[in-house]
Amino acid sequence: SLPTVGSSLEMDRLKSDFPNFAHVADFVWGRAMLSRLAHPAVMRLPPVLLDGPPGTGKTAFCTRLAQWLQVPIHHVDMASMDTAFKLTGLDAGYATGKPGAIWDALQGSCMAPIVVLDELDKPSRASMESGLAYLLALLEPSSATRYKDACVGLPLDASRMMWLATSNDVSAIDAPVLTRFRVFRVDAPTQHQMRSVILSVWRALREAEQWANAFPEAMPEDFTAELIGLTPRAVRQSIEDACMRAAVAGRRVVRLADLQPVAPLRSRGMGFL
């Protein structure tokens, strides 16, 4: 199957929940509108790189975007990947030989899953020495049609895969790889935007954790005021810890005293993830 994008209302909610990603969402929406000019309409998204400081919610945004596109998502931690084999497979002749992440991602019913390359600027030394050359063919649709996993050895059409990547320092990425991406700078949410971000973090927590539904749906205004200035990641951690303290005290209502904000932002210049 191929991507079936969500509605414009769902896209508006995505932009509301991630206001500092609005320019990225607008680009994706534009590509969706472009795809409608074809018959049948097929959503194609060029490789996208989200660059910005840690904690701003880049990975969370990728997950929500995959939900809007209605496709599965697969994360590859580039910082911990010691060799290209984890992505491209290792010959079955080796004792540890097995297919890579690309082959695994294409084994479902969807021909266009999203692969997120987390921390593309922080590959291991072994990966850096390879220059990430294995990515070049995969990021070009014309050559990705003939992709072969090193373990399986069968030709595979990976041209419809959608690639997202995150980084904290775009200058650390090899130029040949970087030129394959549409690069978007993601800055810290403004103080005004953070109110929407905090509410979206609480909604996401209630959807992900059953225990969160034991607490009132509405976020207390005094909580919101205390959390402004944190990164989205720190907001979630702070809310989780506040609920934990309330549970230990035998309460299903959090109090302001339960809130001990995690890792406050030190300066606007540094921003969030």
Side-chain angles (χ1 to χ4, degrees):
S1 64
L2 296 173
T4 303
V5 302
S7 68
S8 60
L9 290 177
E10 291 169 332
M11 175 56 77
D12 288 342
R13 180 175 178 182
L14 176 63
K15 292 168 66 174
S16 175
D17 289 348
F18 294 87
N20 53 325
F21 289 83
H23 57 313
V24 185
D26 285 339
F27 176 75
V28 175
W29 178 255
R31 296 294 302 198
M33 295 302 99
L34 188 64
S35 72
R36 293 184 180 181
L37 301 180
H39 299 283
V42 177
M43 176 66 181
R44 299 189 76 103
L45 186 67
V48 168
L49 170 64
L50 307 176
D51 179 68
T56 50
K58 295 191 291 290
T59 302
F61 174 79
C62 292
T63 300
R64 281 287 300 278
L65 184 58
Q67 292 173 358
W68 185 79
L69 290 167
Q70 301 177 41
V71 297
I73 186 169
H74 303 266
H75 292 268
V76 178
D77 183 2
M78 299 299 292
S80 65
M81 190 174 71
D82 49 358
T83 70
F85 302 144
K86 292 182 180 178
L87 196 64
T88 61
L90 179 62
D91 192 296
Y94 292 90
T96 57
K98 62 179 181 179
I102 304 306
W103 175 269
D104 291 341
L106 290 170
Q107 295 313 296
S109 60
C110 181
M111 297 173 59
I114 284 179
V115 174
V116 180
L117 304 175
D118 283 312
E119 298 191 303
L120 186 59
D121 55 330
K122 298 182 182 68
S124 67
R125 181 171 299 277
S127 293
M128 288 179 66
E129 290 172 353
S130 74
L132 299 178
Y134 54 90
L135 278 176
L136 300 183
L138 285 167
L139 295 173
E140 291 287 354
S142 58
S143 55
T145 58
R146 303 179 300 277
Y147 171 74
K148 284 187 178 181
D149 182 90
C151 177
V152 181
L154 299 175
L156 189 69
D157 183 359
S159 63
R160 296 188 183 277
M161 295 185 74
M162 292 183 284
W163 296 86
L164 301 178
T166 69
S167 67
N168 302 142
D169 180 9
V170 71
S171 66
I173 300 173
D174 286 358
V177 173
L178 186 61
T179 58
R180 266 76 175 173
F181 286 89
R182 302 289 184 92
V183 181
F184 292 89
R185 175 68 185 181
V186 179
D187 292 317
T190 65
Q191 188 174 41
H192 176 71
Q193 290 174 336
M194 274 304 297
R195 292 187 176 275
S196 295
V197 172
I198 291 167
L199 293 178
S200 72
V201 168
W202 177 232
R203 283 197 303 269
L205 188 59
R206 288 174 60 84
E207 293 172 359
E209 302 289 351
Q210 291 185 357
W211 57 258
N213 290 284
F215 294 88
E217 182 177 357
M219 171 69 65
E221 178 58 32
D222 53 358
F223 264 56
T224 302
E226 288 294 319
L227 293 169
I228 288 176
L230 302 184
T231 69
R233 179 183 298 158
V235 166
R236 177 170 178 137
Q237 293 171 344
S238 298
I239 293 174
E240 286 181 340
D241 289 353
C243 291
M244 175 187 68
R245 294 184 184 100
V248 169
R251 289 182 275 107
R252 293 192 177 186
V253 175
V254 290
R255 299 172 180 170
L256 190 58
D258 296 322
L259 186 61
Q260 299 177 20
V262 174
L265 185 65
R266 288 180 290 175
S267 73
R268 290 297 302 177
M270 292 182 63
F272 311 102
L273 183 273

